[in-house]
């Protein structure tokens, strides 16, 4: 707020709160998946996690794309016309929600084998990166930058936990890859590309 002013902070906060509605969906899906993932790991069937895991990722991606698609209408419903520019912050923050779900999914393997030290260090590192990037880019580009720094930080979280999950799988699960890299990054890349395409259509009434 001190860097961009109260009105700009209010616009960003509106976009952030609308985007984070999807975290409720994240939480419900994650709580449903967690016992199933732990059961599969315990039964030595971690390789069977892939299909269910990718289905959940696809559902989260679709839900967030739907929110991006309806961002102008959502802002119109929740706020006066002066807040309309919030629509341009919703796509990057909604993308960050997808990566938030991703890293929570990957971290289940770390939790199961009690490899929690990395989770703590990743959280501290991500928080520091978020503060530094916000300080640099918000001053230069305004509140719009905060959406992209949030996306960048959660992307870093997801990459870090993905790598740690693979290390855990190498150590305890015979090198199984529950989320093959090509398949995951094709899904994540396609999701982000679709999100940015939607962002550039906001000025088109049709």
């Amino acid at each position: 707020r001190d860097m961009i002013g109260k009105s700009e902070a209010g616009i960003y906060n509106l976009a952030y709160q609308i985007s984070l509605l999807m975290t409720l969906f994240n939480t419900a899906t994650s709580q449903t998946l967690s016992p199933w993932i732990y059961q599969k790991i315990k039964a030595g069937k971690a390789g069977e996690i892939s299909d269910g895991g990718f289905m959940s990722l696809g559902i989260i991606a679709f839900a967030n794309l739907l929110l991006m698609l309806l961002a102008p209408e959502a802002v119109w419903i929740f706020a006066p016309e002066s807040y309309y520019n919030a629509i341009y912050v919703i796509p990057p923050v909604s993308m960050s929600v997808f990566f938030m779900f991703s890293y929570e999914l990957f971290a289940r393997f770390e939790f199961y084998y009690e490899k929690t030290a990395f989770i703590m260090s990743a959280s501290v590192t991500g928080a520091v990166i978020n503060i530094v990037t916000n300080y640099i880019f918000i001053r230069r580009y305004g509140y719009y930058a905060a959406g992209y720094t949030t996306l960048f930080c959660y992307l870093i979280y997801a990459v870090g936990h993905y790598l740690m999950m693979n290390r855990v799988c190498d150590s305890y699960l015979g090198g199984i890859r529950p989320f093959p890299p090509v398949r995951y990054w094709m899904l994540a890349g396609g999701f982000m590309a679709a999100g940015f395409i939607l962002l550039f259509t906001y000025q088109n009434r049709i």
Side-chain angles (χ1 to χ4, degrees), residues 5-108:
K6 292 182 180 180
S7 60
E8 290 83 359
I11 293 172
Y12 176 77
N13 187 60
L14 171 67
Y16 193 79
Q17 293 303 320
I18 291 175
S19 300
L20 289 187
L21 288 174
M22 285 295 115
T23 61
L24 300 175
F25 195 49
N26 276 17
T27 300
T29 306
S30 181
Q31 289 178 346
T32 301
L33 280 175
S34 292
W36 177 74
I37 290 174
Y38 293 149
Q39 288 172 6
K40 290 294 184 181
I41 295 174
K42 185 176 181 179
K45 298 180 180 179
E48 297 179 6
I49 293 172
S50 182
D51 288 340
F54 276 111
M55 182 181 295
S56 66
L57 285 165
I59 291 172
I60 294 295
F62 176 79
N64 279 282
L65 285 173
L66 187 61
L67 175 62
M68 293 181 223
L69 179 66
L70 299 175
E73 289 75 18
V75 173
W76 180 79
I77 290 170
F78 286 107
E81 187 176 348
S82 59
Y83 281 73
Y84 188 73
N85 282 343
I87 64 174
Y88 299 108
V89 182
I90 289 176
V93 178
S94 294
M95 291 180 210
S96 73
V97 172
F98 172 82
F99 290 107
M100 189 187 305
F101 180 79
S102 293
Y103 90 73
E104 289 175 353
L105 196 62
F106 303 151
R108 296 301 166 198

Side-chain angles (χ1 to χ4, degrees), residues 12 16 92-93 95-104 106 118-119 121-138 145-162 184-185 192:
Y12 176 77
Y16 193 79
V93 178
M95 291 180 210
S96 73
V97 172
F98 172 82
F99 290 107
M100 189 187 305
F101 180 79
S102 293
Y103 90 73
E104 289 175 353
F106 303 151
F118 181 80
I119 295 173
S121 61
S123 297
V124 173
T125 301
V128 171
I129 291 173
N130 197 24
I131 291 170
V132 172
T133 53
N134 277 339
Y135 184 81
I136 294 171
F137 293 106
I138 290 177
Y148 293 94
T149 57
T150 299
L151 172 59
F152 176 72
C153 288
Y154 279 113
L155 177 58
I156 293 297
Y157 277 149
V159 170
H161 284 292
Y162 184 84
Y184 174 76
W185 292 111
M192 291 182 68

